Amino acid sequence: MKDHDTPGAGGTTAVTPVAGPGPGRTGLDQPRILGAAVRFIDENGLRELTMRRLGAYLDVEGMALYRYVPGREALLDGVVETVVDELFGDPDVHLEARAGWADYLRRLAHGLRRIALAHPEVFPLVATRPPAAPWIRPPLRSLRWIESMLTVMTSAGFSDEAAAAAYRAFSSFLLGHLLLEVSARGVEAGLDAVPTGDLSAYPILRRMEPHLARDGAAQDFEEALEALLDRVTLLLPPPRAVDLR
C-alpha cells in the first residue's frame, strides 16, 4: 500500500468502491448483498431500500436474501459497517500514528469526510443508526478504529480521561460538520429545510446572500479541524521541567 506524506483534503478517490451487481455474477453471499445495498442507497436513497427491491437489484427473489441477512434491520447494520470499513482501504488513513497524533487525526477526519461525500445518501444512516454500546459515538463506530485512536492518544501522553474527551470532541465535530455538508447536497439528514421567503425586509441578509450561499465546506472543515486539534492539544499534561543542576 502506497504511503503519502499528507492526507487528501477533498476528493473521494481514495475510498474503495463497494461491490455491486454486474453481468456474469452468480451466487449470493453477505459481502455481495451488503455491497449492493450500499450502491442501491447511493443510487436511489435510503427510503427506497426494501429486501424485495434489493433482491430485484441483484436479480434474485427478495426472499433469497434472508438466508444471508435476517432482515432489513440487520441489513442496515451491515450497510453501516460496510461503509465505515472503507477506511481500511483508504491509503491516506493509518491505524497507527506515523507522524504524530495530530497527523493521525487529520488523516482519519479526511478519510471519514471522503466516505460521507462518496456515500451522502448512506451517511445519515451512519450518523443515526443506534450503536452497539452507548459510548460508541458515530461516525467513527468501528471498535478497531476506536481502539486505534485511543491507543494513539494515550501513547502520545494523553491520560485515559483526556483521550476519551478527545474522542468525544472529535466525533461531535465530524458528526455535526458532515451531516450539515451532506444535507446541503439535498440529502435527507433529519434536518428540515426552512423556506427563505421574501428578503426585501432584510437588507443585510439580501446583501450578504451571495457570501452566505458560497460553498465553503472544504475550507470550513479544515479551519474547524485545526481549531479542534488546538483544543485537544490543551488536554496534554504540561511537559516536566528539566533539572539542569
Side-chain angles (χ1 to χ4, degrees):
M1 185 175 294
K2 185 178 179 181
D3 191 16
H4 297 267
D5 293 328
T6 56
T12 60
T13 55
V15 177
T16 304
V18 294
R25 301 205 48 180
T26 59
L28 287 176
D29 55 32
Q30 192 176 77
R32 183 187 171 197
I33 292 170
L34 295 177
V38 173
R39 280 195 56 167
F40 181 95
I41 297 171
D42 285 341
E43 296 169 10
N44 302 285
L46 178 61
R47 286 182 180 272
E48 297 299 314
L49 179 67
T50 65
M51 298 294 277
R52 180 181 60 80
R53 288 170 180 162
L54 182 59
Y57 190 70
L58 284 162
D59 199 24
V60 299
E61 292 292 331
M63 292 300 295
L65 305 182
Y66 286 92
R67 178 181 175 186
Y68 306 94
V69 183
R72 190 174 189 272
E73 294 303 305
L75 179 66
L76 296 180
D77 287 338
V79 164
V80 169
E81 183 177 352
T82 298
V83 169
V84 174
D85 279 353
E86 288 185 2
L87 282 172
F88 294 110
D90 190 328
D92 285 329
V93 183
H94 313 306
L95 276 166
E96 67 284 344
R98 300 184 182 181
W101 66 267
D103 176 78
Y104 169 92
L105 289 184
R106 287 189 189 96
R107 291 175 179 274
L108 186 55
H110 283 295
L112 286 164
R113 181 169 183 258
R114 281 191 287 273
I115 286 174
L117 298 183
H119 305 291
E121 295 284 349
V122 178
F123 187 77
L125 183 64
V126 175
T128 60
R129 191 79 183 147
W135 47 265
I136 296 177
R137 299 168 66 95
L140 187 63
R141 47 195 306 159
S142 159
L143 293 181
R144 188 177 179 191
W145 279 106
I146 297 172
E147 176 79 2
S148 166
M149 177 179 172
L150 296 178
T151 299
V152 165
M153 302 307 284
T154 54
S155 297
F158 290 84
S159 68
D160 287 0
E161 183 179 0
Y167 166 66
R168 291 193 298 269
F170 185 71
S171 301
S172 297
F173 155 72
L174 286 171
L175 189 63
H177 187 100
L178 296 179
L179 270 179
L180 284 172
E181 189 166 2
V182 299
S183 68
R185 295 171 175 239
V187 175
E188 292 186 24
L191 302 172
D192 294 331
V194 178
T196 303
D198 184 8
L199 295 182
S200 60
Y202 305 96
I204 302 298
L205 275 176
R206 190 169 68 250
R207 188 183 77 222
M208 293 185 62
E209 184 179 13
H211 301 287
L212 295 171
R214 179 182 60 86
D215 182 7
Q219 181 179 346
D220 291 346
F221 183 86
E222 294 290 344
E223 292 174 353
L225 176 58
E226 292 306 313
L228 171 68
L229 296 179
D230 289 341
R231 295 206 320 271
V232 171
T233 302
L234 298 177
L235 297 174
L236 275 170
R240 294 182 180 179
V242 178
D243 189 353
L244 299 178
R245 292 179 297 173

